[in-house]
Amino acid sequence: MQEATEESALINIREKVLHDKRLTKEDGITLINCNNILFLGNLARNIKNKKTTDYVYFNVNRHINLTNICISRCKFCAFSCNKDDSDAYTMTVDEAVKTALESPKNMTELHIVSGLHPDKPFDYYVSVVKALKKELPNIHIKAFTAVEIDYFSKISSLSTKEVIQILKDAGVSSLPGGGAEIFNTEVRGKVCPRKATTKEWLDVVRTAHKLGLKSNATMLYGHIETLEDRIDHLIKVRELQDETGGFQTFIPLPFHSDNTELSYIKKPTAVENLKMIAISRLMLDNFDHIKAYWIMIGPKVAQLSLDFGADDIDGTITEEKITHAAGAQTDKFIEKNELIKMIKEMGRVPVERDTLYNVVRLYE
Ligand code: V47
């Protein structure tokens, strides 16, 4: 009886999706409890194909983490440390520029996120951006999560709007999607009590979008949140996208627990990761792009996810620290040709993009 009810709920969901009707929270809960991953994959792939045809996007980018010293010390984070820890580091402006210059040929994007440093003033971050822009004027700087911007506002006594405007004038052209974690207040209070609240994260992003900066959104899943929390998170992101239209891509991030305070929790499985990609695609009907972050789900599952609704596999990265501190077994860097091969093997057309999804080159 229960099976028959579930089946009719899934048929109803399929009809809605195929007729471009928005899914409700209840639909989301049905999907996340559904173990028929081929059903989820088919439906999500259908939407991906409608939105971005055979194209699968990637870029040539480099991650830079200016400091790992962080006052937030979230329970899920293995990257952050205290000022007096032996592996603590903070780059000078010159070191940040030197790191950026050690980048792959034809790089189009620098992705910069850092810890919430107890002493560095907001001016330091502005100086880094200005120096990078001076040395690499054609590179798109995607920098600072909503959490960092909220923190800059608190340490500088400027409004978040002023902070964003100053960063934009210095050379920041979009925001990455990190720091969203999980929006459920109780869970957020347990895993990251000292960082921007859900409201603060959403407010900063809203302000950035209003100031003309695009951004991404993420969700960290597979820790202590419930399946319902995940669906609620997707709906909050969807509501803000209805309001601003400023999000480019959504990236579900599976929790890696090594060296964290939650190290007893096992990493989500491949099936769970594929399911989260598909459900993100189905719930986020107002997003053009869903990213399969190969660093966190692994290149093999990232490749499969192209049949589960993803249309972006991120970039070459060059040097990844956050997930590797938490036990990621993937490489820290991938060659562009490898990304192209992964996409082609799935019968798709690799599209090298810039951060704003302008086509740099098609590999047909
Ligand atoms: O904000 C931290 C998450 C995020 C762990 O915008 C962890 O294009 C798993 O946001 N296990 C940083 N995840 C990564 C990020 C990102 C990555 C790629 C592309 C983009 C984009 C954004 O990683 C953090 C946090 O949510 N995180 N610790 C961990 N142990």
Side-chain angles (χ1 to χ4, degrees):
M1 183 62 196
Q2 206 189 334
E3 261 175 40
T5 318
E6 188 193 301
E7 194 167 329
S8 84
L10 289 173
I11 290 169
N12 182 34
I13 290 172
R14 186 173 59 201
E15 285 307 299
K16 280 190 181 178
V17 170
L18 297 180
H19 292 94
D20 297 324
K21 293 224 172 82
R22 177 156 279 191
L23 299 183
T24 61
K25 173 171 172 175
E26 289 64 40
D27 295 330
I29 304 273
T30 302
L31 290 174
I32 210 160
N33 283 301
C34 165
N35 291 323
N36 185 347
I37 63 159
L38 293 183
F39 170 85
L40 298 174
N42 269 324
L43 212 48
R45 183 168 66 243
N46 193 292
I47 301 303
K48 180 257 172 279
N49 288 346
K50 260 195 207 169
K51 293 206 176 192
T52 52
T53 62
D54 261 354
Y55 285 5
V56 171
Y57 297 90
F58 71 94
N59 71 353
V60 180
N61 65 347
R62 179 188 237 289
H63 282 201
I64 297 185
N65 307 111
L66 298 174
T67 180
N68 59 355
I69 301 173
C70 186
I71 57 151
S72 195
R73 305 308 314 270
C74 303
K75 285 205 170 62
F76 54 77
C77 182
F79 169 69
S80 71
C81 62
N82 294 331
K83 221 168 129 179
D84 50 8
D85 284 349
S86 59
D87 49 351
Y89 76 87
T90 305
M91 291 182 186
T92 61
V93 173
D94 287 347
E95 282 166 348
V97 171
K98 186 168 169 277
T99 308
L101 290 173
E102 288 160 9
S103 291
K105 214 173 115 230
N106 300 328
M107 172 182 74
T108 56
E109 171 190 284
L110 283 171
H111 172 139
I112 307 172
V113 297
S114 309
L116 307 180
H117 195 285
D119 311 319
K120 284 284 176 197
F122 174 48
D123 274 355
Y124 159 74
Y125 303 92
V126 179
S127 305
V128 169
V129 173
K130 282 186 178 162
L132 290 172
K133 208 63 202 169
K134 189 162 170 246
E135 283 298 324
L136 296 159
N138 299 322
I139 302 297
H140 181 112
I141 300 184
K142 177 175 89 177
F144 309 122
T145 63
V147 166
E148 291 170 271
I149 289 174
D150 175 76
Y151 182 66
F152 298 158
S153 153
K154 287 171 181 156
I155 58 172
S156 65
S157 302
L158 295 164
S159 67
T160 53
K161 187 175 172 190
E162 288 166 326
V163 165
I164 296 166
Q165 190 61 56
I166 291 169
L167 290 172
K168 192 178 169 195
D169 293 342
V172 168
S173 298
S174 69
L175 266 50
E181 320 311 358
I182 195 83
F183 289 147
N184 177 289
T185 307
E186 206 184 311
V187 178
R188 197 175 181 85
K190 284 186 185 152
V191 296
C192 51
R194 285 176 292 277
K195 77 183 345 169
T197 61
T198 296
K199 182 178 180 314
E200 286 167 335
W201 192 95
L202 294 168
D203 282 347
V204 169
V205 171
R206 182 181 291 108
T207 307
H209 291 175
K210 283 191 181 149
L211 288 174
L213 293 184
K214 294 282 184 191
S215 80
N216 296 333
T218 57
M219 170 174 72
L220 179 67
Y221 67 93
H223 46 97
I224 60 163
E225 86 291 355
T226 63
L227 297 182
E228 186 177 348
D229 294 336
R230 298 187 198 177
I231 301 299
D232 284 337
H233 187 103
L234 294 176
I235 290 175
K236 281 207 165 60
V237 170
R238 186 171 78 181
E239 283 168 356
L240 184 54
Q241 178 74 327
D242 276 344
E243 199 186 316
T244 67
F247 286 117
Q248 301 206 102
T249 181
F250 182 77
I251 314 141
L253 304 174
F255 175 51
H256 288 55
S257 69
D258 286 6
N259 310 314
T260 73
E261 284 186 51
L262 303 171
S263 59
Y264 60 92
I265 297 175
K266 281 215 170 91
K267 233 179 19 194
T269 59
V271 167
E272 207 177 341
N273 293 338
L274 289 172
K275 247 171 115 169
M276 263 338 295
I277 295 270
I279 291 169
S280 303
R281 173 59 87 189
L282 294 170
M283 292 303 291
L284 298 177
D285 53 14
N286 53 5
F287 271 65
D288 287 339
H289 307 290
I290 301 294
K291 192 185 276 188
Y293 186 36
W294 67 266
I295 284 272
M296 288 199 193
I297 62 176
K300 290 178 183 160
V301 177
Q303 206 179 14
L304 278 179
S305 74
L306 305 183
D307 263 353
F308 282 76
D311 71 326
D312 189 314
I313 49 172
D314 206 90
T316 51
I317 311 287
T318 313
E319 190 181 16
E320 203 284 334
K321 292 183 177 168
I322 298 174
T323 330
H324 285 81
Q329 300 295 313
T330 47
D331 291 336
K332 295 181 179 179
F333 167 78
I334 198 163
E335 293 287 350
K336 172 171 135 175
N337 284 343
E338 197 56 37
L339 292 174
I340 292 171
K341 187 166 161 245
M342 280 160 63
I343 298 169
K344 280 196 169 167
E345 271 179 8
M346 292 299 288
R348 302 283 179 168
V349 179
V351 183
E352 185 175 347
R353 62 164 175 86
D354 67 11
T355 312
L356 300 175
Y357 286 85
N358 297 303
V359 174
V360 174
R361 190 172 158 195
L362 283 178
Y363 295 83
E364 283 186 278

